[in-house]
Amino acid sequence: MEVLRAFVNSPIGPKTTHFWGPVFNWSLPIAAFLDTKKPPEVISGNMTAVMCGYSALFMRFAWVVQPRNLHLLVCHACNETVQLYQLSRWIKAQQ
Amino acid sequence: MASSKLQALWNHPAGPKTIHFWAPTFKWGISIANVADFAKPPEKLSYPQQIAVTATGIIWSRYSTVITPKNWNLFSVNIAMAGTGIYQLTRKIKHDYFSEAEPAVASE
């Protein structure tokens, strides 16, 4: 219970936008995960490659921003993973 | 002089020596990629992806004004993301639900 209370009142807790920003950011890896079940023709090579660079940079950003945002870091780590997978599917479909 | 203004920018807490500059700058790539995808036929657009781009653009515009350092570069890039996402969504919705005598509608 104490852990929960500490979280709710923390600088990146649910009373702050530092929580809700990353919550919405989860829509990106979730969308990509849904798209892994679809044929590779719906993958945008441009967008996916950019997402790979974007999440790599934002993992670093999440670490150094004030307040430090581990929630955001995890979100971007997941996005990086799924976007790299989608990129590999797209590359394979080009051959 | 002009050089001291440039120096002030160069040394800014969200300036080009920091990730607070490069992360948002790279994020422009998402909007640019989306603009390139304006040419794609709507059948090839992904609802989940465009909804995600729009939603994150909107909420991150707010987020970027309350973090330290405050980041206008991040703010403007998220406004652009929301804009391109909304445009792509209207294109796709128009195509799927409002075009006349389309076989795509029959298969819905």
Side-chain angles (χ1 to χ4, degrees):
Chain A
M1 277 321 293
E2 278 310 305
V3 172
L4 213 58
R5 189 172 301 137
F7 170 67
V8 167
N9 293 311
S10 80
I12 60 165
K15 296 197 258 187
T16 72
T17 190
H18 305 287
F19 178 80
W20 296 103
V23 164
F24 277 75
N25 241 58
W26 277 106
S27 64
L28 288 167
I30 290 168
F33 180 74
L34 292 171
D35 285 349
T36 59
K37 311 297 178 195
K38 296 194 207 150
E41 288 73 37
V42 296
I43 301 177
S44 162
N46 294 333
M47 182 69 86
T48 309
V50 166
M51 287 273 178
C52 292
Y54 153 79
S55 274
L57 285 168
F58 271 88
M59 282 168 68
R60 167 67 181 164
F61 174 93
W63 185 255
V64 299
V65 74
Q66 290 297 330
R68 178 163 282 171
N69 202 322
L70 294 173
H71 180 185
L72 188 67
L73 178 65
V74 168
C75 172
H76 277 294
C78 292
N79 197 38
E80 185 69 28
T81 308
V82 71
Q83 296 292 344
L84 283 168
Y85 173 62
Q86 286 286 75
L87 192 65
S88 69
R89 284 182 71 216
W90 179 81
I91 290 171
K92 235 176 154 184
Q94 304 307 307
Q95 288 159 357
Chain B
M1 287 280 293
S3 64
S4 68
K5 266 214 155 155
L6 260 143
Q7 264 198 334
L9 275 169
W10 179 251
N11 292 312
H12 191 277
K17 292 196 267 187
T18 72
I19 187 78
H20 303 288
F21 177 84
W22 291 105
T25 301
F26 195 85
K27 198 169 183 178
W28 278 102
I30 294 179
S31 297
I32 292 166
N34 223 9
V35 168
D37 285 350
F38 285 175
K40 266 182 132 185
E43 302 85 33
K44 295 237 170 137
L45 297 175
S46 156
Y47 271 128
Q49 189 176 66
Q50 293 302 329
I51 290 169
V53 164
T54 303
T56 57
I58 291 169
I59 198 157
W60 275 79
S61 304
R62 160 66 181 162
Y63 180 101
S64 55
T65 61
V66 297
I67 49 171
T68 306
K70 210 179 237 194
N71 200 325
W72 294 111
N73 192 4
L74 191 61
F75 177 79
S76 52
V77 74
N78 281 290
I79 297 282
M81 262 181 81
T84 62
I86 288 167
Y87 179 70
Q88 291 283 59
L89 278 173
T90 40
R91 271 182 69 214
K92 190 163 170 73
I93 290 169
K94 236 177 150 181
H95 175 267
D96 287 352
Y97 297 103
F98 295 106
S99 37
E100 318 215 320
E102 286 283 348
V105 175
S107 69
E108 274 291 320

